[in-house]
Amino acid sequence: MNIHDELQATITAMVQKGKGVLAVDESSPTIAKRFKAIDVESTEENRRAYRSLILSTPDLGKFISGVILFEETLEQNSDDGIRLPELCAQQGIVPGIKVDKGKLAMANAVGDEITQGLDGLEERLKGYKDLGARFAKWRNVYHIAQMTPSRLAIEANAEVLARYAAICQAQGIVPIVEPEVLIDGDHSLSRCSEVSEVVFHELFHALHRHHVVLEHMILKPNMMIPGKQNPQKTTPEEVAEQTVRVLNRTVPAAVPSINFLSGGLTPEEATANLNAMNQLGQHPWELSFSYGRALQEPALQAWKGDAANAKKTQAALYQRARLNGAARYGKYTAAMESDE
Ligand code: 13P
């Protein structure tokens, strides 16, 4: 298959009505933090056991079309001895891989960060592809404070995301491009929207300069929400209206799908916000999810590191996947939270 057809086949498999992406790509420090919250030690075996359980949830493929894995997971086996990317594929789910190497303080831009991992990316992608990965994910973050994000950081981060996306496409790997304007801080909803608009605008300018094929990428942005320390309360309808407005102003219609990150929202908030956006009617792109915490939190709480809780864990994940599947159609209601 030529690269164009290969990228298109992956997009077609990932962008489906009523479905979204599950992010289980927590880096080693992040998964250690999630496990600590349920009193589980982050050993390689515990990480494998948990992710094997999650990915073998019966019928997960009804609502999940792609799973983002962490490097280590690509070479791990399920309890039944099946390679985990293969297990995803058997469920009709496209396996993908987080490829950035994390963020660090950006030189000469106080308070801003930049993501690393471009050096050697092409070679790494070849290896990941051999192990079954068909798409990749890379995350850059933007801190809202009085002086940040700076113009310098907005431009440098856009450049890095575009370079990553171009390298992926050259290897026949679909890039999920993740610019995350963080929820931390006391900023208002309108400030989040202003910053996000500038960030997304700069990003698409860079993607254009790097000849990234927009039809063959997925955008994974934040929603428009006030900072966590801001007392302002918003409704899903307000979040939806602001978010769609910013996306309409910045994301070309050629992009097939926008899959939001949950970024610290509760599972219920993340689902209700997505639902409200899809209730606004037809958009130029699919509006979907690529949640980590908002899909996994109830499952982690059910699991607690104990294999005896396997059924409960899978049921909790299935329930959130199902509710977000309904939100893809704008058909979620809070009453569905208590469905069996
Ligand atoms: P959250 O939905 O927990 O923000 O995670 C999504 C993700 O992949 C962050 O990079």
Side-chain angles (χ1 to χ4, degrees), residues 4-17 19 65 92 94 174 215-216 218 256:
H4 176 276
D5 292 351
E6 189 175 25
L7 291 168
Q8 187 54 52
T10 301
I11 285 286
T12 304
M14 290 179 73
V15 183
Q16 294 188 45
K17 295 278 177 209
K19 299 190 189 185
S65 55
V94 184
V174 165
E215 287 83 351
H216 293 159
I218 289 173

Side-chain angles (χ1 to χ4, degrees), residues 21-26 30 34 68 98 100 137-141 176 178 180 220 260-265 270 290-297:
V21 171
L22 164 64
V24 282
D25 61 332
E26 297 83 4
T30 304
R34 306 273 184 267
I68 315 172
K98 168 193 171 75
D100 66 71
K137 189 208 84 171
W138 176 298
R139 169 176 179 254
N140 279 41
V141 303
I176 293 188
E178 182 177 5
E180 177 172 4
K220 175 167 175 167
F260 295 98
L261 58 97
S262 63
L265 294 170
S290 174
Y291 298 154
R293 281 163 285 179
L295 278 166
Q296 292 186 75
E297 245 165 36

Side-chain angles (χ1 to χ4, degrees), residues 27-330:
S27 62
S28 307
T30 304
I31 192 76
K33 198 158 73 179
R34 306 273 184 267
F35 277 10
K36 192 157 187 260
I38 52 163
D39 222 7
V40 173
E41 196 190 341
S42 179
T43 61
E44 186 181 348
E45 173 50 24
N46 283 342
R47 294 190 296 271
R48 187 208 61 78
Y50 170 68
R51 286 166 170 162
S52 163
L53 182 60
I54 286 292
L55 298 174
S56 53
T57 300
D59 292 330
L60 191 62
K62 274 163 73 178
F63 312 108
I64 301 294
S65 55
V67 171
I68 315 172
L69 304 170
F70 187 60
E71 195 169 22
E72 162 187 90
T73 316
L74 278 184
E75 294 191 82
Q76 288 175 331
N77 288 345
S78 71
D79 295 347
D80 304 327
I82 304 167
R83 278 287 159 105
L84 291 175
E86 175 56 25
L87 183 66
C88 298
Q90 286 178 4
Q91 297 243 51
I93 299 172
V94 184
I97 168 86
K98 168 193 171 75
V99 299
D100 66 71
K101 292 276 186 192
K103 55 203 174 45
L104 76 183
M106 186 173 148
N108 298 336
V110 179
D112 284 313
E113 291 184 292
I114 188 106
T115 303
Q116 345 168 53
L118 287 176
D119 286 350
L121 178 58
E122 184 179 325
E123 284 310 308
R124 284 199 288 131
L125 288 174
K126 289 183 180 142
Y128 298 146
K129 204 174 180 190
D130 287 343
L131 293 169
R134 290 293 168 265
F135 71 92
K137 189 208 84 171
W138 176 298
R139 169 176 179 254
N140 279 41
V141 303
Y142 304 83
H143 296 266
I144 300 185
Q146 211 170 357
M147 305 301 284
T148 61
S150 64
R151 188 70 220 157
L152 179 63
I154 290 168
E155 287 175 8
N157 276 286
E159 189 73 10
V160 165
L161 276 166
R163 289 262 297 126
Y164 142 78
I167 294 168
C168 284
Q169 289 188 342
Q171 295 304 318
I173 296 267
V174 165
I176 293 188
V177 176
E178 182 177 5
E180 177 172 4
V181 177
L182 295 164
I183 196 174
D184 308 311
D186 61 1
H187 52 272
S188 63
L189 172 64
S190 63
R191 172 104 158 102
C192 174
S193 304
E194 272 166 34
V195 170
S196 299
E197 185 173 332
V198 174
V199 163
F200 301 163
H201 180 86
E202 192 63 34
L203 170 61
F204 277 93
H205 183 56
L207 290 166
H208 172 75
R209 276 190 286 106
H210 286 267
H211 309 293
V212 170
V213 180
L214 300 184
E215 287 83 351
H216 293 159
M217 62 162 273
I218 289 173
L219 181 70
K220 175 167 175 167
N222 52 288
M223 296 176 188
M224 303 308 125
I225 33 180
K228 224 171 24 192
Q229 283 82 43
N230 188 306
Q232 183 183 12
K233 285 280 159 279
T234 47
T235 62
E237 288 69 31
E238 286 167 318
V239 170
E241 195 200 314
Q242 284 285 327
T243 304
V244 169
R245 175 181 300 151
V246 169
L247 295 173
N248 270 324
R249 287 177 176 176
T250 52
V251 184
V255 173
S257 187
I258 297 175
N259 292 50
F260 295 98
L261 58 97
S262 63
L265 294 170
T266 66
E268 293 80 8
E269 286 168 341
T271 307
N273 292 348
L274 178 64
N275 187 65
M277 285 184 232
N278 280 313
Q279 280 186 342
L280 290 175
Q282 282 285 107
H283 302 292
W285 353 256
E286 292 294 318
L287 288 183
S288 184
F289 58 90
S290 174
Y291 298 154
R293 281 163 285 179
L295 278 166
Q296 292 186 75
E297 245 165 36
L300 273 165
Q301 287 300 332
W303 180 55
K304 294 211 157 51
D306 188 346
N309 295 328
K311 282 231 148 53
K312 275 203 294 190
T313 307
Q314 294 183 333
L317 175 70
Y318 184 86
Q319 168 74 339
R320 288 259 56 95
R322 188 178 73 86
L323 298 179
N324 285 300
R328 288 279 283 109
Y329 295 107

